[in-house]
Amino acid sequence: MVHIDSLLHAGYHNPVQRPWQVERTLTKGSLMYPIFITDEADSLIPIPSMPNQNRIGINRLEEVIAPLVQKGLRAVMLFGVPNDSVKDPLATAADDPAGPVILAIKLLKTKFPALLVSCDVCLCEYTSHGHCGHLNDDNTINNEASVRRLAEVAVNYAKAGADNVAPSDMMDGRMRAIKQGLLDAGLSHRVSLMAYSAKYASALYGPFRDAACSGAKFGDRAAYQLPPGSRGLGRRAIERDMREGADIIMVKPAMFYLDIIRDAKELAPDHPIAAYQVSGEYAMIHHAASAGVFNLKTAVLESMASLQRAGCSLILTYFTPELLEWLD
C-alpha cells in the first residue's frame, strides 16, 4: 500500500503544473553568446572543432549579429583573435584601438545600442607565449605586472563602450585593480565587472584554444587556474572576488561543476551567478547528438535546466543561436 506521505505524482501530473515545480525559467535574457572576432576584417572562418561557430571579421559582424538580435539576442561576449604577427610577451596589442575587440565594441554599440556588449579580459590571445599574464625570467607568472596590464586593457575596453568586462586570467587581485581602474576612469557607474571566479584547469577548453589561437606554447595553466578537484579553492576564489568588487560571479566550465555553481549561489546569494558552458561541453553535446545518442534540442535544454537548477541566472553558451529559436 502506498502511504499518503509518499505521494508526489499528482503535483506534476498535469502539464500546466510542471513549470510550477521549476525554480527558474529559461528566457532569452538568460543567455550570453560568446563570439570570436578575427582581425581578418572580411573573413567568416568556420571553426572545425566547434560546429556552426566561426571566427568573424569586423566587416561580417553586423550580418551575423543582426538576425540574432531580431530573434531576441540580448548579450554577447567578445574574444579577440589577432594575427600572430602582433603578439609579443607583454600583450601590447590587447587594447589596440584598431584591434578586433575595440572595433567590434564600437560597431555593435552603434548598430545595436540595446545589445549588452561584454568583453573577455585576458592576455593569452595576445602573448607570444600563450600564457594569461606576464612572465618572470623563469617563466613563472609575474602576478603584479599581469594585474596592471589586465586593468589597463579592461579600462580601455570600457572607454570604447563595453557594458561589462570579464577577466578570465585568474591572476590574484585583478578584480580589485580593475574595479579601481573603472572608478578612477569615471566608468564604475555604468560598466559592470563579471569575475571568472571559479575557473578550473579543465580538459574542456581544447576547441576554444583552437578557435582563439591561444594555446600555451609551453607548460600549462595549472599554476593559476584551479585544480579540478578543489572545491575549497573555488569557494575561496568566489569569496575573494566578491570582496574585491565583482558584480557577477562566474563558474567555468559548467556541467562538470554544478556543485561549485551551487556553492557560488549559496556564498553569493545577492549576486547574479553565471556559468560558461565551454567549447568542449558544446562539442561533446553536438557530437553525441550527431552520433544518435540523443536528440540535440532535448539535451541542450536539459543542460540549461541543470545549470539553472544549480543556481545560474546567466548562461554563456555557443548554443545561443539555437536557443533563441527554440525559446520561441
Side-chain angles (χ1 to χ4, degrees):
M1 178 179 176
V2 178
H3 294 282
I4 287 175
D5 58 5
S6 300
L7 298 176
L8 296 176
H9 290 171
Y12 55 96
H13 175 77
N14 190 301
V16 175
Q17 295 172 301
R18 292 168 197 164
W20 304 348
Q21 306 289 348
V22 177
E23 293 181 20
R24 295 171 183 84
T25 300
L26 186 68
T27 68
K28 296 179 181 183
S30 309
L31 305 171
M32 180 178 284
Y33 186 29
I35 56 175
F36 301 96
I37 311 299
T38 176
D39 60 5
E40 298 178 34
D42 297 315
S43 295
L44 193 65
I45 306 168
I47 301 166
S49 56
M50 298 178 67
N52 302 330
Q53 303 302 309
N54 300 281
R55 299 188 195 99
I56 308 165
I58 191 70
N59 293 340
R60 307 294 298 276
L61 185 56
E62 183 179 359
E63 72 181 75
V64 172
I65 295 301
L68 299 178
V69 170
Q70 291 175 353
K71 293 175 183 177
L73 179 67
R74 303 289 302 280
V76 293
M77 175 77 81
L78 304 182
F79 294 90
V81 187
N83 190 285
D84 283 347
S85 65
V86 305
K87 298 183 179 185
D88 63 28
L90 303 180
T92 54
D95 50 359
D96 180 355
V101 173
I102 288 181
L103 290 178
I105 296 168
K106 292 181 176 180
L107 184 147
L108 290 172
K109 294 308 296 182
T110 299
K111 299 292 184 179
F112 312 104
L115 182 70
L116 184 141
V117 176
S118 178
C119 294
D120 177 83
V121 180
C122 197
L123 305 185
C124 60
E125 300 104 312
Y126 303 93
T127 54
S128 50
H129 46 71
H131 280 278
C132 299
H134 291 184
L135 300 180
N136 294 310
D137 291 340
D138 62 357
N139 287 333
T140 58
I141 285 289
N142 183 331
N143 192 85
E144 185 175 352
S146 301
V147 167
R148 280 198 302 271
R149 181 67 185 128
L150 289 159
E152 290 173 355
V153 172
V155 169
N156 284 330
Y157 289 167
K159 288 179 177 178
D163 302 294
N164 174 263
V165 288
S168 62
D169 54 284
M170 291 300 287
M171 300 299 126
D172 287 336
R174 88 273 201 213
M175 301 305 297
R176 179 177 284 113
I178 293 171
K179 197 73 166 183
Q180 187 65 55
L182 293 172
L183 180 64
D184 293 345
L187 295 167
S188 61
H189 67 290
R190 73 157 187 88
V191 180
S192 58
L193 183 54
M194 178 158 59
Y196 286 70
S197 296
K199 179 180 178 181
Y200 286 83
S202 174
L204 296 171
Y205 303 142
F208 173 92
R209 289 171 183 163
D210 291 340
C213 304
S214 62
K217 297 297 187 289
F218 55 84
D220 56 33
R221 295 166 180 162
Y224 42 99
Q225 295 178 3
L226 303 179
S230 60
R231 182 183 179 194
L233 271 174
R235 292 172 63 91
R236 289 168 60 194
I238 290 164
E239 292 176 319
R240 175 194 64 188
D241 289 352
M242 289 166 58
R243 291 193 303 269
E244 292 188 5
D247 298 296
I248 305 158
I249 299 295
M250 186 201 294
V251 176
K252 180 183 179 184
M255 296 187 300
F256 287 7
Y257 294 87
L258 295 178
D259 58 324
I260 308 301
I261 295 171
R262 173 53 66 178
D263 281 345
K265 187 61 180 174
E266 292 174 354
L267 291 167
D270 300 321
H271 285 64
I273 305 300
Y276 196 147
Q277 188 179 57
V278 300
S279 58
E281 296 171 276
Y282 173 80
M284 284 194 299
I285 293 173
H286 247 297
H287 293 315
S290 296
V293 175
F294 46 57
N295 174 270
L296 179 66
K297 178 180 177 180
T298 302
V300 172
L301 290 173
E302 184 176 345
S303 76
M304 296 294 108
S306 73
L307 299 178
Q308 290 195 302
R309 188 183 66 243
C312 287
S313 50
L314 171 63
I315 300 171
L316 289 81
T317 176
Y318 302 100
F319 286 113
T320 295
E322 291 89 343
L323 285 162
L324 293 174
E325 293 189 2
W326 296 337
L327 290 173
D328 280 336

